[in-house]
C-alpha cells in the first residue's frame, strides 16, 4: 500500500498499470481495496479465466471514463487479453486521469514484455516465522474487530485463529514433510474464518437465555474451518487429515483454559487489557524470534530437511546456469570425453534384452499367466526391456554424434548436458523412474533387472524389493487377488490390505509367507523405528530416514478389519486388527503426490509405540520406496 500511495502521488498516469507478482501466501487484493477506500475509489474486479475477457474489457472501458480503479486478478489465466490491454493503455487519449488498473499474476514467461516494461512491479512475500505471521495478522486485526463480540471468549478464539493461520502457512517451508502440496493459504482464508467465527458467536449470543450463555459448538467450528474454509483449497486427502488434526487440537474447550499453551513459549495472552488491540500487539512482540519445528508438531530433524531443500535448490540453480559450451576436468578431458567415458562404463555392464520367448517359457513353468503375480512379472519385463533399449540406443548414438557420424539432435544434446552434470537424461526419467543422479539411476536399473531375472529363473523371491517395480500398485493388487483366491467365498472387492512389519532383515528371510508376500526396501520418513518393540519412535538427532524391516503384506476381508474399531478397548474391539495403529501413506519418491500422476501407492499400518496416531500425523510420517 505504501508503494502504491507513493507512486500515485508521484504523478504516474492512468496508462501505468500496477503489476502485483503473486507469491505463495500473499494476496494483495485486500491491500488494494483498503488503499482505494482511503482514496474514495470504487474497485470493480474480475478473476481472469476462460470467457472473462469480455467482463475485463467492460470494466477497463468503464473505469477509463469514470476514474474507477480496476482489479484484474489471476491474469496468468488470461494472458491473451493482456496484449490487448497493453494496446488499449498505449492508445488511450480521452481517459480519466484518476483511472488505475491493478494486475495480479503469477510470474509467467508469456507475459507481454511491453506491458511489463511500462508497469510498476510490486511483490509481497509471505512473512517468515510464526512471530512475523502473527505481527501481520494483528496488523490486520483492528479494535473494531476485537469489540465485535462482547465475550472474552471471542478475543481468545480470535488469537487461536490467527496462530493457526500462521502455523499452517509456515509449515509449508518444510517441503513434502510439511504439506504434500504447497497450498497457497493467504489472508483471505483468515478473513473468511474470522468472519465465520464472528457470525457463529453472534448467533450463540442471540440464542442464549437471559443472563446466560450458549457454549461454543466446537464440532461445528472444527468442520467449518478445516473442511470448508481451508479444506476448499486442499486437494490431497492426507493433507486433509493433517488439517483436521490441527484444527481438532487447536479448537476445543481446553484452549479456553488460561494455562493452555500451543508449545512452551507460545501461550495465549490473558489478564487485564485484553479488550485493547495494543495489548495483543504487545504480546505478539514477546513471541520467540526463531521457531523450533516442534511448534508445528514436527521433529527437530525437520529443520535439516528444510535446510537440505534450500541447499539442493541453490545447487541445482548453480548447475543449471553453468556454461555448457566449455568445460573439462583438471586432467584436460573435455566435456564430451567425460560423458563418453561414463557411457562406455554403462554399456560395458549392459545386461542384455530379455528374450520374450524365454520369458514365456519361464512363466509357464511358474504356473502361467493365470496366476496374478506372473502377470506382474510379464508386464515388468516388458517395461524394463524398453528401458534397456532406450539407454543403449542413447549412449551409442551419443558416441556417434560426438564423432560426427550422425547429427546431434535436441535429445542427444539434452542427454549430453545431463550426463555431464551427473543427472539421468529427462527422456530416461520419463520412461523409467525418478533419480537425483545418473549413478543412482543406473544402480537402480541393474538391481531391477537382477530381481526380474532371479524371479524368472528361480521362482518367486522370499521377499520382494518393492522399489524395483514400475507399478507397485499393480503388484499389491495382484497380492490381494492371490489371497482372495485362496479363500472360498471371498470377493476381491471385499478384500483389503493388511500389513505387519517383522523383526527380520532381508538377509534373514529364507522363504516367503504361507499367504501374502514379504516386501523390503521401504524407508520411514519423519519417525524412527524400534525393531524390538516393532513400533514407531522419535528419530535420533540428525538421522532422517530409517529402513523398515521386512514387512508382511496380505489381505483380509473388509468386515474383519472394520470390526477392529475400538481404539484399544477390549470391550469394543472384536476384530483382528488394532485400529489404534497409524496408517502411514506409502509413496514411490520423497515428493509426495496423489492423483492420477502422483507417486502415492497405498497405506501401511504401523504400531504407534504408545503414542496417539495424531502425533505421527503432525510429524508428517510416511513410507518411501526410495529416500533419494
Amino acid at each position: 500500500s505504501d508503494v502504491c500511495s507513493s507512486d500515485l502521488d508521484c504523478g504516474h498516469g492512468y496508462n501505468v498499470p500496477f503489476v502485483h507478482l503473486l507469491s505463495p501466501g500473499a494476496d494483495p487484493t485486500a491491500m488494494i481495496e483498503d488503499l482505494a477506500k482511503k482514496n474514495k475509489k470504487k474497485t470493480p474486479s474480475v478473476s481472469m479465466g476462460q470467457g472473462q475477457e469480455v467482463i475485463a474489457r467492460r470494466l477497463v472501458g468503464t473505469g477509463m471514463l469514470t476514474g474507477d480503479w480496476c482489479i484484474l486478478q489471476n491474469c496468468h489465466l488470461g494472458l491473451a487479453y493482456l496484449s490487448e490491454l497493453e494496446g488499449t493503455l498505449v492508445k488511450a487519449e480521452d481517459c480519466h486521469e484518476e483511472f488505475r488498473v491493478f494486475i495480479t499474476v503469477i510470474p509467467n514467461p508469456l507475459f507481454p514484455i511491453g506491458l511489463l516494461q511500462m508497469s510498476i512491479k510490486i511483490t509481497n512475500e509471505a512473512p517468515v516465522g510464526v512471530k512475523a505471521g502473527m505481527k501481520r495478522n494483528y496488523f490486520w486485526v483492528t479494535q473494531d474487530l476485537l469489540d465485535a463480540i462482547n465475550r472474552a471468549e471471542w478475543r481468545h478464539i480470535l488469537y487461536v485463529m490467527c496462530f493457526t493461520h500462521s502455523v499452517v502457512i509456515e509449515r509449508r517451508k518444510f517441503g513434502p514433510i510439511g504439506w504434500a502440496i504447497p497450498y497457497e493459504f493467504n489472508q483471505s482464508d483468515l478473513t473468511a474464518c474470522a468472519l465465520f467465527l464472528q457470525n457463529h458467536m453472534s448467533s450463540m449470543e442471540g440464542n442464549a437465555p437471559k443472563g446466560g450463555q450458549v457454549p461454543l459448538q466446537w464440532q461445528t467450528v472444527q468442520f467449518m474451518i478445516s473442511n470448508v474454509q481451508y479444506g476448499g483449497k486442499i486437494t490431497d486427502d492426507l493433507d486433509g487429515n493433517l488439517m483436521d488434526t490441527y484444527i481438532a487440537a487447536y479448537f476445543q474447550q481446553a484452549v479456553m483454559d488460561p494455562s493452555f499453551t500451543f508449545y512452551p513459549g507460545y501461550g495465549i495472552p490473558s489478564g487485564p487489557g485484553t479488550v485493547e488491540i495494543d495489548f495483543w500487539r504487545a504480546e505478539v512482540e514477546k513471541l520467540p524470534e526463531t521457531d523450533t519445528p516442534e511448534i508445528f508438531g514436527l521433529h527437530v530433524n525437520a529443520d535439516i530437511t528444510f535446510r537440505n531443500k534450500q541447499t539442493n535448490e541453490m545447487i541445482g540453480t548453480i548447475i543449471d546456469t553453468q556454461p555448457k559450451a566449455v568445460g573439462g576436468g583438471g586432467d584436460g578431458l573435455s566435456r564430451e570425453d567425460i560423458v563418453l567415458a561414463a557411457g562406455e562404463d554403462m554399456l560395458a555392464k549392459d545386461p542384455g534384452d530379455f528374450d520374450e520367448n524365454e520369458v514365456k517359457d519361464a512363466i509357464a513353468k511358474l504356473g502361467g499367466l493365470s496366476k496374478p503375480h506372473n502377470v506382474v512379472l510379464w508386464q515388468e519385463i516388458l517395461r524394463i526391456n524398453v528401458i534397456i533399449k532406450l539407454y543403449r540406443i542413447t549412449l551409442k548414438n551419443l558416441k556417434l554424434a560426438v564423432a560426427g557420424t550422425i547429427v546431434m539432435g535436441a535429445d542427444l544434446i539434452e542427454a549430453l548436458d545431463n550426463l555431464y552434470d551427473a543427472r539421468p537424461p529427462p527422456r530416461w526419467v520419463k520412461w523409467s523412474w525418478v533419480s537425483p543422479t545418473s549413478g543412482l539411476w543406473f544402480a537402480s536399473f541393474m538391481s531391477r533387472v537382477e530381481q526380474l531375472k532371479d524371479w524368472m529363473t528361480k521362482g518367486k523371491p522370499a521377499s520382494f524389493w518393492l522399489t524395483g517395480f514400475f507399478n507397485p500398485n499393480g503388484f499389491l493388487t495382484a497380492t490381494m487377488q492371490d489371497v482372495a483366491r485362496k479363500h472360498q467365498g471371498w470377493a476381491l472387492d471385499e478384500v483389503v490390505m493388511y500389513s505387519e512389519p517383522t523383526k527380520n532383515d532381508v538377509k534373514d528371510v529364507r522363504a516367503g509367507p504361507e499367504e501374502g508376500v514379504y516386501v523390503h526396501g521401504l524407508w520411514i520418513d519423519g519417525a524412527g523405528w524400534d525393531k524390538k518393540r516393532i513400533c514407531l519412535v522419535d528419530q535420533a538427532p540428525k538421522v532422517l530416514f530409517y529402513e523398515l524391516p521386512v514387512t508382511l503384506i496380505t489381505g483380509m476381508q473388509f468386515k474383519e478389519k472394520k470390526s477392529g474399531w475400538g481404539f484399544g478397548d477390549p470391550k469394543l474391539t472384536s476384530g483382528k486388527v488394532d485400529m489404534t495403529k497409524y496408517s502411514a501413506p506409502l509413496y514411490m519418491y520423497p515428493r509426495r503426490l496423489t492423483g492420477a500422476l502422483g507417486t502415492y501407492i497405498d497405506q501401511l499400518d504401523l504400531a504407534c509405540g504408545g503414542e496417539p496416531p495424531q502425533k505421527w500425523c503432525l510429524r508428517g510420517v510416511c513410507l518411501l520406496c526410495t529416500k533419494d
Side-chain angles (χ1 to χ4, degrees):
S1 297
D2 294 337
V3 175
C4 294
S5 298
S6 61
D7 285 318
L8 288 168
D9 295 338
C10 289
H12 288 293
Y14 55 82
N15 60 348
V16 179
F18 292 86
V19 175
H20 290 262
L21 303 174
L22 298 175
S23 58
D27 183 8
T29 306
M31 291 186 290
I32 298 172
E33 291 174 346
D34 289 342
L35 181 63
K37 287 180 182 178
K38 293 177 183 178
N39 288 270
K40 299 179 180 179
K41 289 293 178 183
K42 295 181 180 179
T43 53
S45 64
V46 59
S47 183
M48 299 302 293
Q50 186 175 4
Q52 300 304 302
E53 295 86 353
V54 177
I55 300 174
R57 195 177 295 118
R58 187 182 71 245
L59 294 182
V60 170
T62 303
M64 293 176 77
L65 295 175
T66 62
D68 292 340
W69 292 3
C70 181
I71 304 177
L72 305 181
Q73 298 175 308
N74 301 322
C75 287
H76 49 278
L77 303 177
L79 291 172
Y81 172 70
L82 294 184
S83 298
E84 178 186 332
L85 177 63
E86 177 187 352
T88 301
L89 295 176
V90 169
K91 298 174 183 177
E93 294 180 358
D94 298 328
C95 180
H96 199 290
E97 61 179 11
E98 295 183 2
F99 167 72
R100 297 290 185 273
V101 59
F102 294 85
I103 297 170
T104 67
V105 63
I106 293 176
N108 191 301
L110 300 179
F111 191 93
I113 189 65
L115 185 62
L116 191 65
Q117 289 175 339
M118 66 188 287
S119 66
I120 296 171
K121 277 74 69 178
I122 305 168
T123 189
N124 187 17
E125 293 291 339
V128 178
V130 171
K131 181 177 180 178
M134 289 295 286
K135 287 174 70 174
R136 172 175 286 191
N137 293 342
Y138 269 87
F139 177 78
W140 166 78
V141 174
T142 62
Q143 185 65 50
D144 290 341
L145 185 58
L146 284 183
D147 297 337
I149 304 293
N150 190 26
R151 284 175 66 172
E153 289 177 327
W154 161 243
R155 294 178 287 277
H156 203 87
I157 201 169
L158 183 61
Y159 186 91
V160 174
M161 187 66 253
C162 290
F163 187 86
T164 303
H165 183 70
S166 296
V167 165
V168 297
I169 286 182
E170 188 66 12
R171 186 181 172 103
R172 190 172 48 210
K173 76 177 185 180
F174 295 102
I177 201 171
W179 296 100
I181 299 171
Y183 303 103
E184 294 188 10
F185 300 125
N186 53 44
Q187 187 64 42
S188 300
D189 300 303
L190 176 59
T191 303
C193 289
L195 181 61
F196 158 71
L197 290 171
Q198 181 180 337
N199 292 336
H200 178 66
M201 295 191 73
S202 295
S203 65
M204 293 294 99
E205 284 191 331
N207 296 328
K210 189 174 182 179
Q213 288 185 341
V214 176
L216 280 170
Q217 304 298 311
W218 291 109
Q219 192 171 5
T220 301
V221 170
Q222 291 173 4
F223 178 82
M224 287 298 296
I225 294 176
S226 180
N227 295 80
V228 179
Q229 307 294 0
Y230 286 98
K233 291 185 177 179
I234 295 176
T235 56
D236 187 297
D237 289 341
L238 300 171
D239 282 340
N241 292 340
L242 174 60
M243 180 60 77
D244 290 342
T245 304
Y246 265 129
I247 301 305
Y250 289 172
F251 290 87
Q252 55 173 316
Q253 190 59 40
V255 301
M256 294 302 172
D257 189 331
S259 62
F260 177 85
T261 57
F262 299 103
Y263 185 77
Y266 296 85
I268 302 176
S270 60
T274 56
V275 295
E276 301 294 333
I277 187 62
D278 290 339
F279 168 85
W280 294 98
R281 291 173 179 171
E283 290 296 321
V284 167
E285 291 291 344
K286 298 178 184 177
L287 291 174
E289 294 290 342
T290 57
D291 305 311
T292 172
E294 291 178 301
I295 185 61
F296 309 102
L298 296 165
H299 192 272
V300 290
N301 283 350
D303 195 53
I304 300 176
T305 303
F306 167 55
R307 303 300 174 189
N308 284 342
K309 175 174 168 283
Q310 282 186 316
T311 304
N312 292 334
E313 288 174 355
M314 182 184 69
I315 292 175
T317 303
I318 292 172
I319 291 175
D320 289 339
T321 54
Q322 273 187 319
K324 306 295 182 185
V326 216
D331 53 1
L333 293 176
S334 68
R335 182 173 65 123
E336 287 77 8
D337 291 336
I338 294 173
V339 172
L340 289 180
E344 287 291 348
D345 183 55
M346 291 184 190
L347 286 173
K349 300 174 182 177
D350 187 348
D353 296 337
F354 283 88
D355 183 272
E356 291 192 9
N357 291 325
E358 292 180 4
V359 173
K360 289 178 181 178
D361 292 340
I363 289 178
K365 294 178 181 178
L366 295 174
L369 293 177
S370 60
K371 293 191 173 182
H373 282 131
N374 289 344
V375 175
V376 174
L377 174 60
W378 170 250
Q379 292 173 340
E380 291 289 323
I381 287 177
L382 292 180
R383 289 284 300 273
I384 202 70
N385 252 352
V386 174
I387 307 304
I388 294 172
K389 293 174 183 176
L390 176 63
Y391 112 93
R392 184 192 301 130
I393 290 172
T394 301
L395 294 178
K396 286 185 175 180
N397 286 346
L398 197 56
K399 185 177 180 181
L400 293 174
V402 170
T405 306
I406 63 174
V407 176
M408 183 172 287
D411 287 344
L412 293 179
I413 293 175
E414 188 178 54
L416 180 66
D417 289 340
N418 281 272
L419 289 172
Y420 178 69
D421 293 333
R423 295 171 174 171
R427 196 155 176 257
W428 293 6
V429 173
K430 178 182 177 181
W431 291 99
S432 58
W433 51 88
V434 177
S435 189
T437 68
S438 54
L440 290 173
W441 184 93
F442 192 73
S444 177
F445 166 69
M446 296 300 293
S447 298
R448 289 165 185 258
V449 172
E450 182 182 3
Q451 173 169 255
L452 293 175
K453 283 187 175 180
D454 288 346
W455 186 359
M456 185 180 76
T457 57
K458 301 176 184 178
K460 290 173 64 173
S463 177
F464 290 88
W465 181 45
L466 193 63
T467 312
F469 290 104
F470 288 96
N471 183 15
N473 303 75
F475 172 75
L476 296 177
T477 301
T479 302
M480 299 302 103
Q481 289 178 316
D482 193 47
V483 171
R485 291 181 181 182
K486 290 182 179 180
H487 294 267
Q488 187 175 3
W490 281 26
L492 180 59
D493 58 356
E494 295 178 355
V495 177
V496 294
M497 190 170 70
Y498 170 72
S499 59
E500 184 177 325
T502 69
K503 294 184 178 181
N504 300 321
D505 294 325
V506 63
K507 63 179 182 296
D508 302 323
V509 179
R510 296 287 180 265
E514 294 182 3
E515 188 173 281
V517 294
Y518 286 132
V519 299
H520 65 274
L522 304 182
W523 296 86
I524 304 173
D525 184 14
W529 185 257
D530 188 326
K531 290 185 67 174
K532 292 182 179 179
R533 296 166 55 204
I534 315 180
C535 66
L536 293 170
V537 293
D538 282 326
Q539 295 171 312
K542 301 181 181 179
V543 180
L544 301 182
F545 301 98
Y546 286 75
E547 187 170 8
L548 188 70
V550 172
T551 300
L552 168 67
I553 292 183
T554 184
M556 66 188 312
Q557 286 186 299
F558 175 72
K559 60 184 180 182
E560 291 183 344
K561 192 167 186 178
K562 186 178 180 182
S563 64
W565 284 98
F567 301 100
D569 187 338
K571 296 179 181 178
L572 300 176
T573 304
S574 58
K576 300 179 180 179
V577 185
D578 179 8
M579 292 304 291
T580 61
K581 291 183 177 180
Y582 171 67
S583 293
L586 172 60
Y587 297 93
M588 292 180 67
Y589 308 115
R591 187 183 180 194
R592 310 178 186 188
L593 294 174
T594 58
L597 302 177
T599 63
Y600 173 77
I601 299 174
D602 214 308
Q603 289 181 306
L604 303 186
D605 294 330
L606 303 177
C608 294
E611 300 284 355
Q614 289 86 347
K615 172 181 176 177
W616 306 117
C617 180
L618 292 178
R619 284 276 198 265
V621 175
C622 77
L623 294 171
L624 304 173
C625 287
T626 175
K627 60 180 180 177
D628 300 309

